[in-house]
Amino acid sequence: FYDEAEARKYTQNSRVVEIQSQMSERAVELLGLPEDRPCLLLDVGCGSGLSGDYISEEGHYWIGMDISPAMLDVAVEREVEGDLLLADVGHGIPFRPGMFDGCISISAVQWLCNADKKSHSPPKRLYRFFSTLYTALARGSRAVLQLYPENSEQLELITAQAMRAGFTGGMVVDYPNSAKAKKFFLCLFVGTSGTLPKGLGTECADEELHQAKFTSERTRFKNLKGKSVKKSRDWILEKKERRRRQGKEVRPDTKYTGRKRRPHF
């Protein structure tokens, strides 16, 4: 568990924020959500709401679950747009059937493989999580869980319990030949067996070409094609408009909205 100071430090680390944003973008992309309407997503292990920020920017709604009170306190301080729930997902997902249009999770599910208490059985906790998640998701939706497995046994245990709970799908591995950029996404289908998406950076066998491909993919996250650049005036106005629609109190828009302040000497 993080204490308050650690949680704040983690959330303010620009490198952490950048990685979380990239992985959240990739996870939401793998969900294959409809483009014509906003969706309700579940964020498992939401922490301080960094992945939720990306979901909100995309115009979707979300509910986040996390086991760390300190992380959720920071999320409340940051005034994230999603609803938050303090809970251990190893006890199950406590929502009504078919409630969510999709689920993402960034760097959280592998913790269910640890037996932190004598009563904890990792296979049972994983099955409880996946079986209740399956129920909470709408038919035809997906769950995309990014994780850091310690070894192949852990990976097999997680995948086996997901399949046992009724999911179809499998592991999507981005940049499998890169030690630093390699990422595992467990892509799960509910009620339908869709085609498993291809991992990024898997197209080229040649190492040089692979490296070039990897570089161009990295810039894709920074350009955010077709979207307002983060912290720009348009981005701020869009965020304020979303908050108004949610009935929250927002300062009125003026000619100064989004304008950079002059440095003070």
Side-chain angles (χ1 to χ4, degrees), residues 135-164:
T135 305
L137 288 167
R139 300 306 91 174
S141 64
R142 296 181 188 181
V144 176
L145 316 170
Q146 183 274 326
L147 47 104
Y148 289 109
E150 276 183 22
N151 47 46
S152 58
E153 286 81 10
Q154 215 175 66
L155 213 53
E156 280 168 29
L157 173 64
I158 293 168
T159 309
Q161 295 306 318
M163 301 304 157
R164 190 180 152 221

Side-chain angles (χ1 to χ4, degrees), residues 249-262:
E249 229 175 273
V250 180
R251 287 184 182 178
D253 302 333
T254 70
K255 64 180 182 178
Y256 301 108
T257 302
R259 189 182 284 187
K260 278 200 168 76
R261 296 185 183 189
R262 287 181 183 171

Side-chain angles (χ1 to χ4, degrees), residues 202-217:
T202 55
E203 296 86 350
C204 314
D206 181 32
E207 197 53 45
E208 271 184 33
L209 281 171
H210 173 74
Q211 205 57 40
K213 176 73 181 161
F214 169 62
T215 313
S216 67
E217 288 292 350

Side-chain angles (χ1 to χ4, degrees), residues 76-129:
V76 170
E77 264 178 45
R78 293 177 64 245
E79 296 186 341
V80 297
E81 292 178 32
D83 292 320
L84 304 167
L85 175 67
L86 176 66
D88 176 357
V89 296
H91 293 157
I93 305 295
F95 293 102
R96 63 181 172 76
M99 181 166 164
F100 295 99
D101 301 305
C103 166
I104 71 163
S105 177
I106 307 298
S107 318
V109 175
Q110 72 272 2
W111 297 112
L112 288 173
C113 295
N114 297 350
D116 298 322
K117 296 178 184 172
K118 273 188 179 177
S119 59
H120 282 183
S121 158
K124 282 182 183 173
R125 283 167 60 74
L126 280 162
Y127 179 71
R128 177 84 185 138
F129 163 63

